[in-house]
Amino acid sequence: MDSNDVANLEKLLPLADKYGLAYIVALILLMIFLVLLRSIVRGDLVPRDLLERAEEDRDRLQNILDKERSDFMAPTLEVLQRLKIDHTADSVNEEDRGG
């Protein structure tokens, strides 16, 4: 142990004797939690290059899924387009007959 650690421990021991060890440990754990939370918010826990690589992989996979989805849905879309065209052609013919 470093002399600085021993000095810090000597400062904490009277507090532990006065307030009780549980409160001191809770205070230390709270400070550790706050530092960890601050690190998460600032993005220090995950290196930026790993985050960017993960986002690029996600975007690449999303593009692949979008292409597969459009290829899969193309026949259905063609059928719907034909029905739409047929429907509009039928409605024009009905208007001509009525007038």
Side-chain angles (χ1 to χ4, degrees), residues 59 61-72:
D59 292 341
L61 291 173
Q62 186 63 44
N63 289 335
I64 291 170
L65 286 174
D66 289 343
K67 184 180 180 310
E68 288 180 2
R69 187 179 302 124
S70 66
D71 291 344
F72 177 74

Side-chain angles (χ1 to χ4, degrees), residues 32-46 48:
I32 290 172
F33 176 73
L34 291 176
V35 169
L36 183 65
L37 184 64
R38 181 174 172 248
S39 303
I40 291 171
V41 170
R42 289 180 54 203
D44 293 338
L45 291 182
V46 178
R48 181 63 59 186

